[in-house]
Amino acid sequence: MEIRAAEVRDVDSALAFHDAIAPYLVITRTNLNGRLTAPPSPGHATFAAVDGAEVVGWGSTALTSGSDPLAGEVRILVRPDVRGRGLGTELLDAAHAELRKAGATSVRVFAEPSSADWAARWGYAQTRQVHYAGIDPRKAPDLLGLPTGIELVAMNQADPRKLHAANEVAQRTKPGDAKIVSQPYDEWVQEVWASPASVLDLSVVAMLDDEIIGFTYGIGDRTRIWSKMTSTMPEYRGRGLAKLVKAAALHRAAAAGVQNCYTANYDGNAPMLAVNEWLGYYRVATHSVLVCPL
């Protein structure tokens, strides 16, 4: 078995690998092709553990957008039948080296609870848990009545400048371990607005007097969607807007032929966990959130 930088030729095997181990992560062909053909960027790397032409392990790194101090993210997956042979160690060492080179001062990983002791060897400590949940969008509840003056529109119909401003607020006020300060508009456009992985037509924005007061944003394809971020502006929270935008997005997904939608929430995020329970999401996995200084 060999560990090397992942390549486009690995995509088919990588898709089968992810679908077999963790389909709820919504790793799509568009996502992988985009990642593997993107221009080199500090802190962003993808590694494959291969047995011949077959992917048996995968590692990816990224920098947390807008974090200060600079934080890194890593995901390591190894097929269960080849664990215990050092592949995870090699993938994690390569990931750490990439993030250190980019200037990250800490790294976060979501991992199966059984991996926590193994990760502790590198200095990882658990901060919380994250719960993954899924739903068949065709089973989403009916939309609630819209409050007076509020309009729901597809995200691609919104003003990207206003959406970026709303996302800045959302990132700074969401639960998490990285301190989010700000993400430049041009970087956000590349990562969200112009990303081929984004499903802006199936994402939903709540508008009031031409201002964005809430939104839900998804990535994926026409079979599976990952709900990456849902937020209500602080002054409008507690009015059921998260239910509205998420239910509307699920209805759009169902109409587009999407078969499965997934999301994840920290265990301390009681309001969003309650929203997802009301929508009918069912829990599919729970991971430990581990953070390590670099």
Side-chain angles (χ1 to χ4, degrees):
M1 287 182 281
E2 172 192 13
I3 291 180
R4 55 168 170 75
E7 302 172 0
V8 172
R9 62 185 167 126
D10 298 317
V11 167
D12 285 342
S13 183
L15 286 172
F17 167 82
H18 282 92
D19 285 349
I21 294 179
Y24 51 86
L25 296 181
V26 189
I27 304 299
T28 67
R29 185 174 299 277
T30 298
N31 175 282
L32 285 181
N33 278 326
R35 184 175 182 91
L36 297 178
T37 59
S41 177
H44 289 71
T46 311
F47 305 98
V50 295
D51 185 0
E54 186 178 11
V55 170
V56 296
W58 198 258
S60 59
T61 67
L63 298 177
T64 303
S65 299
S67 61
D68 185 18
L70 192 60
E73 305 167 19
V74 63
R75 187 177 294 281
I76 304 293
L77 293 172
V78 176
R79 206 171 67 190
D81 63 300
V82 295
R83 291 175 185 170
R85 305 186 191 184
L87 297 178
T89 295
E90 290 190 51
L91 288 167
L92 190 60
D93 285 343
H96 282 180
E98 181 68 28
L99 291 170
R100 287 192 186 98
K101 186 168 61 176
T105 60
S106 66
V107 58
R108 178 186 61 185
V109 63
F110 298 164
E112 295 175 2
S114 59
S115 301
D117 289 342
W118 176 82
R121 302 176 194 172
W122 285 265
Y124 280 92
Q126 182 170 334
T127 62
R128 62 187 79 203
Q129 289 185 316
V130 64
H131 304 296
Y132 295 87
I135 188 175
D136 179 339
R138 295 169 296 182
K139 298 179 180 179
D142 293 336
L143 279 172
L144 301 173
L146 286 177
T148 302
I150 292 179
E151 180 185 10
L152 301 182
V153 300
M155 186 170 279
N156 58 358
Q157 297 176 16
D159 181 336
R161 288 279 181 184
K162 292 182 177 181
L163 188 59
H164 171 257
N167 184 67
E168 292 276 277
V169 175
Q171 293 291 348
R172 287 195 295 267
T173 58
K174 73 176 184 179
D177 298 293
K179 182 180 179 183
I180 307 298
V181 179
S182 182
Q183 182 181 22
Y185 176 73
D186 290 344
E187 181 181 309
W188 174 86
V189 166
Q190 182 178 4
E191 184 178 300
V192 175
W193 191 258
S195 171
S198 294
V199 286
L200 299 183
D201 59 324
L202 305 182
S203 303
V204 173
V205 172
M207 308 286 300
L208 177 64
D209 297 330
D210 203 35
E211 294 299 323
I212 294 173
I213 62 173
F215 67 88
T216 187
Y217 161 62
I219 61 174
D221 56 22
R222 261 33 194 183
T223 61
R224 286 181 295 171
I225 289 177
W226 174 263
S227 180
K228 191 172 178 68
M229 167 63 94
T230 300
S231 183
T232 302
M233 298 301 96
E235 61 270 32
Y236 294 98
R237 290 175 183 168
R239 305 185 188 186
L241 290 177
K243 287 182 178 180
L244 283 173
V245 293
K246 291 203 76 168
L250 289 171
H251 282 277
R252 284 179 175 270
V258 175
Q259 300 168 16
N260 291 287
C261 294
Y262 295 97
T263 192
N265 296 107
Y266 289 117
D267 52 6
N269 191 357
M272 193 54 66
L273 288 168
V275 167
N276 289 334
E277 183 177 357
W278 178 85
L279 288 165
Y281 277 86
Y282 58 93
R283 191 167 296 181
V284 296
T286 294
H287 281 183
S288 297
V289 184
L290 307 171
V291 176
C292 173
L294 287 176

